[in-house]
Structure formats: C-alpha cells, structure tokens
Amino acid sequence: KSTAAMRMCMPPSSAVFWARARMQAPTRSFLLTCHRPASWAAFSGRVAETRSRGVARSEAPEHVLVIGGGALGSLFAGRLGALKNLQDRVWMLTSWEEQAQAVAENKAVIVQEGGNVGSKCLIGQVQVARSLPEVRERQVDTINSVSRGRVNVVFIAVKQPNVRRAAEQASQILAGVHGGVCITLLNGLGHIELFRNAFRNNDVFGTLIHGVFTGGAHIETPGVVQHAGKGRLSLAVIGNDPDPLSQHLLDQVATTLEASGIETHFVKHVQPLAWEKLCVNVAINALTALLRVSNGKLLESDDCRQIMTDAVKEAHAVACKVLFRDMGDVDAAACPLIADGWEAMVDKATAVARMTAANRSSMLTDIEIARDTEVEAIYGSVVREGQTEGIPTPTNLMLLRLIRAHTELHAEKVDDDEDDSWIEEWDRKYGNTVAPGPIPFSS
C-alpha cells in the first residue's frame, strides 16, 4: 500500500501513529468466557488452543461482509481486515460516499487506538462496495484471483433508520449459504424479529446472533476510525442451538474476533446487556446532540448531570419491568442490571462519559449533517415500553420530543440518489408492521 495514500486520509494529529502501524494480526491475549450450556462447553478450550498457536487461514471465515460504514462498522472491518488470515476477505457495504471513496483509494480502514484501548495504529485491508450487486460482482473477481469461498459471515452495523434495508441485504447475501452467521450490532431494541422475518422469507438457513458491543469508536475523518473505548462484545444465539456446521463457524468467528482485539463472549440472555447499553445511551446521546458538546462536557454541568440521572433512572425502572416480564423472575433477578440498582447504572453512564470524554456521540454527528437519528430506537423504546408497563418516563419523553423538534425544524432531507424501490418490495412481502415509524404518545 502507498504510504502517501494512507496519510492522505489521516488527520494531521494522527501522523505520529504511522510508525506504530502494524499489518500483522494483533498478538494480545484476551479472556473469553462462555456461558452457553452443553454444546458450548468446550468452546473456551478451543479458543485458548487457537490463540496459543495463531489463527490459521483455514480456520477463519471464508469472507466477511460488514454492512454499514459508520464508526462501528469501520471499527469491526478495520480490525478484522488487519488479520493476515483475512487478507482480501473483508468487505464493507456502505452508501456513505466520502467513506467509500477513502476506503477504496487506500484499500484499507485505518484504526487508531486511544483511551483505554492502547496506542497502536492498525491498517485493515478492506474492500468497499456501495451496493449488493457490486459486492457480488467484485467478489467473483476476488475469488477467481485471490481466494476461494463466499461471504458466510455478515455484521450489521447500521443506524436504526436503515435496518430494514440491511436485513434484506443480509438475507440476500446469505441465501443458499448453509451454516452462515449474521451478527447484529445495533442500538435500541426490537430489530431481531425484523431479521428473522427477512431470513425466513429469503430461505436463509443460518444462525442469527444478537450482539451488544460496549466499546466506543468515532470517525476521525473518512477512512480513519478512532477506537477510544475497549468494551467487549456479548453474543446471544437467537432460536435453537446451532447445528454442528454453524457451531463450527461460530467458533471460528469468536476466535477471529478475539485475535483482532475485540473481547468476545457468549451469553444466554442478551436483553439485560441491551438495556444496560440503552441506559448509557439515554444519558448521553440526546444531551450531547442538543447542546452540541462532546461526551465529557456533560459532566461539567450540574444540570446536565441531573438530567442524565433522571433519564437513566426512568430507563432502569422500565428495563426491570420488561426483563421480569420477558425472562421470568429467576433469570431476571440474577441480572446485575436489576440486582445493582439504578444508582449503579448512573455511575456506569458517568464513567462512560468520562472515559470517552473527547468523543462526539453518533446522535450529535447525525444532527450536524442533517441525517436521521436513532432517537426512536433509543428514547422511543424507553417511552413505548414505559407506556406499556404503566411507568412514567417524562425525562426521556422530553428528550425524544426535543430531538424530533430539532430534526423537523432544522434538518434538511439529504438526497442520496439511491434506489428505494426495495421498500415497496419489502412492504409487499412482509408488511410494514415490523418497522414502526414515530411513536404517537397520549401524554
């Protein structure tokens, strides 16, 4: 790769990281804890064995597709692409033109570590496409010239307004792939049923994974992503235990993620973790977007701290009621989210804001570039479930309405020149009930 070309997409302040760039796979050691029963009993041992001897190319996924070119999608694509065993096998599908141009020019995503992650600069070899037909066409050329196989692992890292499109794209790319894996990395709640419907209607015989990633990342400039919060990735298998072929691929995926520097573990229930992340999001996202400040600035104001506390307290109360309803008394009572109380969640949200003090939240970025936000998936989820369970959520409702009002009064609709005929086809096949629009409130 051209050193000059790589530097072109890096901000001036990142030049000092260039000497520390590494093309080889990271060698850091991570602890992987497996919580799946029976069929996952030997998982940790296999991962430890693989970690000690490296990840062979034959043990990696055939090809990996990351749908979404934002911060999270870029982070996963970049870290996976930095592994030698995934060279020329990582793809990014994005409609963000500036990002697509930068990645295409450099044939890479640059990952700059910061915060509690480290100080390395990784260069992940990533191939980028703007549409699904382009992925298929270019993959045929790649298979013929470089490697064998097809995409059998898909990561979903899009904003909630784009989930329907991503579900259809993932189901199309995995149709006919026995044992394929799709991992969602989305904020908010309620998207899993949407993916199940898409997979069912496209005859996808693979494993759907609900993932929750607690790390922090933001785009420095197109083609460059800052990994500022280490976090970890929790994965839960949706539906029945996977068949042997799918389970083998899941072993490979988890081992590969660990080797890339993303701490990964399996859990029986992912809902508590999704609600924990939601509690952190309601504390930070809307306030940073409305006040146009970085995460850490919120902690400098007593009024901001009080609003953060109120929002988290409401979300926690709703989460407790929903988890008892959906998981049952025994499993729900064992969740740290419930056992530790709302005060612990306030402390966690505060710690995240402090740890990612320089970060600009995704909702702030969306507001600044007049893009649809995830306000319905985050604050809307809290308010909707609160109404269902009879729990007042006035702070979350006010933040929801303020973001809606700002979008209505200031945002300009961005014409991305994309073909939206797929929406009519989706509604014809599945109906429009799986992706509700703005939530009407009676109070």
Side-chain angles (χ1 to χ4, degrees):
K1 300 296 182 291
S2 166
T3 300
M6 289 297 184
R7 285 174 172 162
M8 285 180 63
C9 73
M10 301 174 66
S13 61
S14 67
V16 295
F17 291 104
W18 184 256
R20 292 194 289 268
R22 295 290 184 270
M23 292 299 293
Q24 68 270 22
T27 58
R28 301 175 65 178
S29 174
F30 294 91
L31 172 65
L32 186 147
T33 304
C34 175
H35 297 287
R36 292 289 295 177
S39 61
W40 295 100
F43 183 83
S44 296
R46 288 196 296 272
V47 171
E49 178 185 356
T50 304
R51 193 184 299 123
S52 67
R53 57 182 168 81
V55 182
R57 189 179 185 103
S58 61
E59 295 177 335
E62 293 181 9
H63 287 262
V64 175
L65 173 64
V66 179
I67 300 180
L72 192 56
S74 297
L75 175 64
F76 274 72
R79 283 202 166 272
L80 291 171
L83 295 173
K84 285 184 177 179
N85 61 301
L86 281 179
Q87 184 176 355
D88 297 310
R89 292 171 178 250
V90 178
W91 304 75
M92 174 188 290
L93 176 59
T94 180
S95 59
W96 180 13
E97 185 57 32
E98 291 84 355
Q99 177 77 337
Q101 288 179 357
V103 176
E105 178 182 349
N106 296 291
K107 296 182 180 179
V109 171
I110 298 172
V111 181
Q112 295 180 355
E113 294 181 344
N116 69 343
V117 181
S119 57
K120 293 181 180 178
C121 179
L122 305 176
I123 304 173
Q125 296 187 32
V126 177
Q127 303 186 64
V128 67
R130 297 163 178 81
S131 66
L132 203 57
E134 185 180 353
V135 173
R136 290 169 172 159
E137 179 181 349
R138 293 183 55 204
Q139 189 185 0
V140 170
D141 295 336
T142 302
I143 291 172
N144 291 337
S145 62
V146 180
S147 61
R148 297 161 54 189
R150 57 180 297 182
V151 171
N152 61 348
V153 176
V154 177
F155 289 90
I156 309 295
V158 300
K159 298 294 183 66
Q160 284 288 341
N162 300 317
V163 170
R164 284 202 298 173
R165 183 195 300 270
E168 182 68 9
Q169 290 171 330
S171 62
Q172 289 182 20
I173 203 71
L174 290 176
V177 178
H178 181 61
V181 172
C182 177
I183 300 175
T184 65
L185 305 169
L186 306 177
N187 287 325
L189 306 167
H191 59 270
I192 290 299
E193 191 59 32
L194 190 153
F195 277 86
R196 296 180 76 168
N197 288 341
F199 281 22
R200 188 181 305 116
N201 285 276
N202 283 279
D203 296 325
V204 175
F205 300 100
T207 302
L208 180 60
I209 305 290
H210 187 171
V212 175
F213 182 62
T214 58
H218 64 275
I219 296 292
E220 288 278 358
T221 190
V224 182
V225 60
Q226 178 85 16
H227 188 185
K230 181 180 177 181
R232 67 177 180 177
L233 176 62
S234 300
L235 303 175
V237 176
I238 303 301
N240 299 326
D241 282 343
D243 58 55
L245 181 60
S246 298
Q247 181 176 316
H248 179 65
L249 180 57
L250 284 176
D251 290 353
Q252 295 176 338
V253 171
T255 302
T256 302
L257 286 166
E258 287 273 333
S260 76
I262 298 173
E263 183 181 350
T264 305
H265 72 152
F266 283 88
V267 296
K268 180 180 178 182
H269 298 292
V270 77
Q271 295 96 321
L273 300 175
W275 274 103
E276 283 185 19
K277 186 173 182 179
L278 200 62
C279 286
V280 173
N281 284 338
V282 299
I284 296 174
N285 286 24
L287 280 176
T288 56
L290 293 167
L291 300 176
R292 304 294 181 96
V293 296
S294 61
N295 296 354
K297 280 290 184 180
L298 298 179
L299 304 181
E300 300 177 11
S301 165
D302 290 339
D303 286 325
C304 283
R305 282 178 171 267
Q306 186 59 55
I307 295 172
M308 292 170 68
T309 298
D310 293 343
V312 171
K313 189 174 181 180
E314 293 172 8
H316 182 270
V318 173
C320 291
K321 197 68 176 288
V322 170
L323 292 177
F324 274 108
R325 179 194 71 195
D326 294 346
M327 295 173 55
D329 293 348
V330 175
D331 286 341
C335 295
L337 171 67
I338 294 176
D340 295 343
W342 64 267
E343 297 90 347
M345 281 310 310
V346 172
D347 291 342
K348 184 172 184 177
T350 302
V352 170
R354 184 177 293 110
M355 182 176 62
T356 61
N359 283 20
R360 299 168 64 81
S361 73
S362 60
M363 193 169 291
L364 169 57
T365 301
D366 292 337
I367 287 289
E368 288 178 333
I369 64 176
R371 185 169 58 193
D372 289 339
T373 70
E374 294 187 296
V375 68
E376 303 295 340
I378 298 173
Y379 297 91
S381 294
V382 174
V383 175
R384 180 172 60 248
E385 291 287 5
Q387 286 188 332
T388 299
E389 299 298 334
I391 299 175
T393 55
T395 304
N396 283 275
L397 177 57
M398 179 57 68
L399 292 172
L400 172 64
R401 285 175 167 163
L402 286 172
I403 293 293
R404 279 184 183 171
H406 187 284
T407 301
E408 182 180 0
L409 296 175
H410 299 286
E412 298 178 1
K413 187 63 177 178
V414 178
D415 183 8
D416 56 11
D417 294 326
E418 289 191 5
D419 179 12
D420 288 333
S421 60
W422 66 273
I423 297 179
E424 296 181 2
E425 176 65 12
W426 176 283
D427 291 339
R428 182 187 67 79
K429 293 166 66 176
Y430 313 129
N432 196 32
T433 58
V434 293
I439 309 162
F441 299 108
S442 57
S443 60

